[in-house]
Amino acid sequence: MSRITSIEELEAIYSGVTEASTAKVADRITPEYRRLIEGSPFVALATAGPEGLDCSPRGDLAGFVRVHDERTLMMPDRRGNNRVDSLRNIVRDPHVALLFLIPGLTTTFRVNGRAFLDTDESLLDSFAVEGKAPRSVIVVEVEEAYFQCARALIRSELWNPQKHRSPKEFPTPGQILAALSEERVGGEAYDREWPERAAKTMW
């Protein structure tokens, strides 16, 4: 192995940053960047805490991340498994990173900043879907915003339906749970009941 141990070694390998790579970075949400946010139904939320890093998928109706103003984003925390890993981290360390994906678009969009949780009742109600409000809203104070070049999504062919895989090729959540818990939870019943359970608890 030839481990890199200094920034100087790293920059010697990855030299030649183009002007486009730095010109795209903004300290606010520009009108163009706002359109990317409003078109996105999926965001990966990265947080940090004393136990380490966490990255959580966040999916909702397109535009679910609200642009409150050019330096503030708001994201509802929809129903999940109540582990609150991301929220726990935000309370202890406000640093967050967001990665937005838009189906069919190979350009992705990134935001870095600081976040806090807001439980104001009127704010929660403003994010209600089918009469169900989130229990908290993640408020992100934007420090850095920029689009990411398309190479990663082009290489992965993420949106290419001919590359989609069959779920039958992979273990189901029920099978994974059963294996990890020595059959205490999971199994065929878990997989069979999941669609109905999810439909009732989506929001």
Side-chain angles (χ1 to χ4, degrees), residues 7 31 48 67 72-73 84 92 99 102 105 109 121 124 139 146 157 168 178 183 196:
I7 296 298
V67 181
T72 311
L73 302 179
V84 298
R92 297 177 295 176
L99 174 66
I102 302 173
L105 197 69
F109 178 62
E121 187 173 351
L124 299 180
V139 181
Y146 56 96
E157 297 190 70
K168 295 180 181 179
E183 307 293 336
E196 182 178 357

Side-chain angles (χ1 to χ4, degrees), residues 12-13 27 35 37 55 100 103 117 126 131 146 154 172 193-194 196 198:
I13 298 172
D27 61 356
R35 291 176 62 188
I37 293 171
C55 188
F100 293 80
L117 306 180
S126 73
Y146 56 96
I154 291 174
T172 67
E193 296 165 2
W194 163 246
E196 182 178 357

Side-chain angles (χ1 to χ4, degrees), residues 152-201:
L153 267 66
I154 291 174
R155 285 192 295 256
S156 69
E157 297 190 70
L158 185 63
W159 309 127
N160 182 356
Q162 296 181 348
K163 296 290 185 177
H164 289 182
R165 305 286 295 275
S166 169
K168 295 180 181 179
E169 299 178 56
F170 302 95
T172 67
Q175 290 169 337
I176 294 171
L177 282 170
L180 291 173
S181 69
E182 298 181 342
E183 307 293 336
R184 292 191 308 276
V185 294
E188 292 182 8
Y190 182 93
D191 291 328
R192 184 174 59 254
E193 296 165 2
W194 163 246
E196 182 178 357
R197 184 166 64 250
K200 292 180 179 179
T201 60

Side-chain angles (χ1 to χ4, degrees), residues 2-186:
S2 298
R3 180 178 297 183
I4 295 174
T5 58
S6 71
I7 296 298
E8 290 75 19
E9 290 178 280
L10 180 65
E11 292 180 344
I13 298 172
Y14 295 94
S15 60
V17 177
T18 65
E19 183 177 4
S21 296
T22 55
K24 66 183 180 182
V25 180
D27 61 356
R28 65 195 182 284
I29 303 301
T30 67
E32 295 79 13
Y33 285 163
R34 180 175 188 139
R35 291 176 62 188
L36 295 179
I37 293 171
E38 293 177 342
S40 174
F42 181 88
V43 177
L45 168 66
T47 59
E51 295 84 10
L53 303 177
D54 185 75
C55 188
S56 172
R58 302 283 163 151
D60 210 326
L61 303 174
F64 73 101
V65 176
R66 179 182 300 170
V67 181
H68 178 69
D69 58 48
E70 65 177 10
R71 297 184 187 276
T72 311
L73 302 179
M74 296 179 170
M75 178 167 57
D77 184 61
R78 299 295 184 197
R79 293 190 64 162
N81 55 22
N82 290 330
R83 284 179 53 103
V84 298
D85 297 311
S86 299
L87 306 187
R88 196 187 311 274
N89 282 348
I90 288 171
V91 169
R92 297 177 295 176
D93 184 336
H95 292 92
V96 297
L98 306 176
L99 174 66
F100 293 80
L101 295 178
I102 302 173
L105 197 69
T106 53
T107 296
T108 59
F109 178 62
R110 299 170 63 175
V111 171
N112 297 320
R114 294 171 179 263
F116 63 88
L117 306 180
D118 197 320
T119 57
D120 177 81
E121 187 173 351
S122 61
L123 178 62
L124 299 180
D125 289 342
S126 73
F127 280 97
V129 175
E130 297 183 1
K132 298 177 182 178
R135 284 176 284 182
S136 66
V137 171
I138 301 170
V139 181
V140 179
E141 299 167 341
V142 177
E143 296 179 344
E144 194 174 44
Y146 56 96
F147 73 89
Q148 185 76 27
C149 83
R151 289 188 184 90
L153 267 66
I154 291 174
R155 285 192 295 256
S156 69
E157 297 190 70
L158 185 63
W159 309 127
N160 182 356
Q162 296 181 348
K163 296 290 185 177
H164 289 182
R165 305 286 295 275
S166 169
K168 295 180 181 179
E169 299 178 56
F170 302 95
T172 67
Q175 290 169 337
I176 294 171
L177 282 170
L180 291 173
S181 69
E182 298 181 342
E183 307 293 336
R184 292 191 308 276
V185 294

